[in-house]
Amino acid sequence: MYIVGEEEIEAVTRVLREGKLFRYGIGGECDRFEARYADYLGVNHFALAASGSNALAAAMIAVGIGPGDEVLIPAHTYMATATSVLAVGAIPVIVDIDESITISPKAIEAAIGPRTRAVVPVHMWGAASDMDAIMDIAARRNLIVIEDACQGVGGGYKGKKFGSIGHIGAFSFNYYKNMTSGEGGGVSVNDDRLAKRARGAIDPCHFYWSGRDEEEKPFAGNGARATELMGAMLNVQLDRLDGMIAKMRSEKKRILAGTASLGNLGLKPAPMNSPDDDCSAQVMYTMPSIEAANRFVEIFPSVIAGKTGRHTYTEWDQVLIGAGAAHPAMNPYLMPENAECRKTYSKDMCAGSLDILGRTVMVATNPKHTDAEIDAMVHNIGVAARVVLGGMSMEEADLREVEGVDTQKFDITSREREAATLERKL
Ligand SMILES: Cc1ncc(COP(=O)(O)O)c(C=O)c1O
């Protein structure tokens, strides 16, 4: 959560005072947000849902993914990318990332098998996946592209907004995202029929509220309807979004410019696929070694991408143990339709990704950072680089005290808990 102010309090209070908490036929906030956000993204439809996980599953249902299908997903993403594939009866196939810490197009191409139906590029930490290459592979190899833009709210790729490039997209508005309503999410799509199917997946009663449709028969979906409180809050958050992203982009540029000279010590910015369009929620450096990354974050409080405790395949317990559903009869790993899908995982299956993630240091930007704080951050990144990569002592390097600057966004777990998670035996 970046900024929640009086405007959000007023908007939510208004809905409460009026008692208009239900979206269909009573309130208008969700409808208004859906229209405005679709327009913002440049798509024909946006369907709100209760969470990003629900939105991802609804997107999979909309495009018809199901038992017998493999879906390629990156080795580094929140586990809901994998569990949403399982939720629709299909099998997630885990694919390497590259130094942009998003899915590697080369690895996608290499991973395509006879059962592969779709690929999920995830715009991880707001950084863009290589969408030109991915869309090209998808066109040549007949794959559906489901963009996981849950972490990419407000960002884009080469002039287009995330969630508008693939065949369908999913967003999250949970507490940690660039726009938040506490929890929430939604599906972005151009195709009218896919939009109807997504809405049907989000709300099994959708056809009742919006009118029955002779062409699109209903199916049993799970309830994930948005509340008007969510819509009210998101309408305010949307007004803030571009200003916030602009500030984060400018902070990222200043930090990169201010630390460019440290390149000769080996402090290398991670290669980004669309640096001027992405969310710029982090400045990422690819360190020469895992040891260097570990020492760097001890001196400059920042986050190692591979150590967040929940964003790497080694931490997706349910996937690794083959628990694809609560009931064995609904478990995609046990379904006869999936007999020919690849279902074997191991903790070292994407060793190259683990190496990259262990070497990638993320410095969080924040629209609330002041110029003085950014200058101090640049100075202290330099200190950490000179000590870790240049062999200087801390005294020589001149660390400055910076009070209260949050450079560890998303790293909500303590180091101890992360370590315990990584150590845990499955
Ligand atoms: C990449 C990614 N996909 C999916 C989700 C799921 O979103 P939610 O937490 O709203 O269910 C998240 C949320 O953290 C995410 O980061």
Side-chain angles (χ1 to χ4, degrees):
M1 181 181 90
Y2 288 112
I3 302 165
V4 171
E6 285 306 316
E7 295 89 340
E8 282 86 350
I9 294 171
E10 271 170 32
V12 168
T13 308
R14 195 175 55 244
V15 171
L16 286 171
R17 286 225 165 88
E18 291 173 358
K20 293 185 173 174
L21 288 155
F22 191 74
R23 64 170 297 181
Y24 293 114
I26 295 176
E29 296 284 353
C30 288
D31 284 352
R32 193 162 80 86
F33 177 76
E34 288 182 345
R36 292 179 68 211
Y37 197 52
D39 193 47
Y40 176 87
L41 297 175
V43 295
N44 292 334
H45 305 277
F46 188 78
L48 273 168
S51 72
S53 306
N54 286 133
L56 266 175
M60 307 258 167
I61 290 169
V63 296
I65 303 294
D69 297 333
E70 288 176 351
V71 178
L72 307 183
I73 63 164
H76 183 59
T77 175
Y78 178 59
M79 61 189 73
T81 314
T83 58
S84 61
V85 176
L86 293 163
V88 302
I91 300 293
V93 171
I94 301 171
V95 170
D96 267 317
I97 54 151
D98 58 27
E99 284 192 350
S100 72
I101 70 159
T102 63
I103 194 163
S104 151
K106 271 192 204 137
I108 295 176
E109 191 107 44
I112 296 170
R115 290 272 159 190
T116 310
R117 247 333 263 301
V119 56
V120 187
V122 182
H123 305 300
M124 205 53 195
W125 312 112
S129 302
D130 188 350
M131 292 308 291
D132 279 350
I134 294 167
M135 295 310 288
D136 173 62
I137 297 170
R140 281 190 287 105
R141 309 292 298 269
N142 200 21
L143 297 184
I144 300 166
V145 178
I146 300 156
E147 272 183 274
D148 182 338
C150 288
Q151 297 197 4
V153 177
Y157 173 88
K158 298 190 181 173
K160 290 184 182 163
K161 285 279 188 288
F162 294 148
S164 72
I165 307 162
H167 300 104
I168 197 161
F171 287 86
S172 167
F173 304 124
N174 81 20
Y175 175 82
Y176 297 103
K177 303 304 188 252
N178 295 340
M179 279 201 303
T180 186
S181 44
E183 299 286 356
V187 176
S188 55
V189 69
N190 278 315
D191 185 275
D192 296 350
R193 182 167 170 262
L194 297 188
K196 281 183 201 164
R197 284 177 61 82
R199 288 188 186 281
I202 290 166
D203 183 352
C205 203
H206 166 70
F207 63 89
Y208 173 80
W209 309 116
S210 310
R212 286 187 162 80
D213 184 334
E214 276 315 305
E215 284 163 31
E216 203 50 50
K217 297 284 177 229
F219 50 82
N222 227 339
R225 205 166 39 230
T227 84
E228 281 291 284
L229 296 174
M230 183 191 287
M233 197 158 162
L234 289 173
N235 273 316
V236 179
Q237 291 267 298
L238 185 55
D239 291 336
R240 296 190 195 284
L241 185 61
D242 278 347
M244 275 175 28
I245 298 280
K247 280 195 179 152
M248 296 199 290
R249 283 189 189 139
S250 130
E251 176 174 354
K252 183 180 81 173
K253 278 198 179 133
R254 275 182 63 175
I255 293 174
L256 285 174
T259 58
S261 62
L262 302 164
N264 54 15
L265 294 179
L267 188 75
K268 193 180 111 192
M272 294 285 113
N273 290 311
S274 195
D276 294 335
D277 302 77
D278 67 18
C279 298
S280 302
Q282 326 278 328
V283 180
M284 297 191 210
Y285 297 102
T286 321
M287 292 289 172
S289 69
I290 288 177
E291 295 70 35
N294 288 339
R295 286 196 62 211
F296 185 95
V297 300
E298 275 166 22
I299 298 171
F300 184 87
S302 40
V303 177
I304 293 175
K307 285 195 177 180
T308 64
R310 62 197 185 285
H311 295 104
T312 303
Y313 71 95
T314 49
E315 292 133 15
W316 306 339
D317 299 13
Q318 59 280 71
V319 175
L320 296 182
I321 63 174
H327 195 289
M330 306 278 276
N331 185 351
Y333 290 115
L334 305 176
M335 288 177 184
E337 292 88 339
N338 289 325
E340 288 166 25
C341 295
R342 292 163 288 176
K343 301 183 283 288
T344 319
Y345 310 99
S346 70
K347 284 206 170 184
D348 57 3
M349 62 186 290
C350 290
S353 300
L354 296 182
D355 176 58
I356 292 169
L357 292 167
R359 290 188 291 114
T360 303
V361 167
M362 307 195 293
V363 175
T365 60
N366 192 314
K368 289 182 188 160
H369 285 168
T370 63
D371 285 352
E373 285 169 346
I374 297 169
D375 287 345
M377 285 165 65
V378 168
H379 176 84
N380 284 348
I381 291 170
V383 171
R386 283 191 288 278
V387 171
V388 174
L389 304 169
M392 217 182 241
S393 73
M394 284 290 275
E395 291 70 35
E396 286 170 318
D398 177 29
L399 191 71
R400 270 187 214 160
E401 284 293 319
V402 195
E403 286 288 311
V405 180
D406 173 15
T407 50
Q408 291 180 299
K409 181 172 52 189
F410 299 115
D411 191 16
I412 55 158
T413 50
S414 70
R415 293 257 160 78
E416 293 72 33
R417 208 165 105 201
E418 286 159 18
T421 310
L422 291 170
E423 294 291 302
R424 194 172 342 125
K425 299 267 179 300
L426 291 167

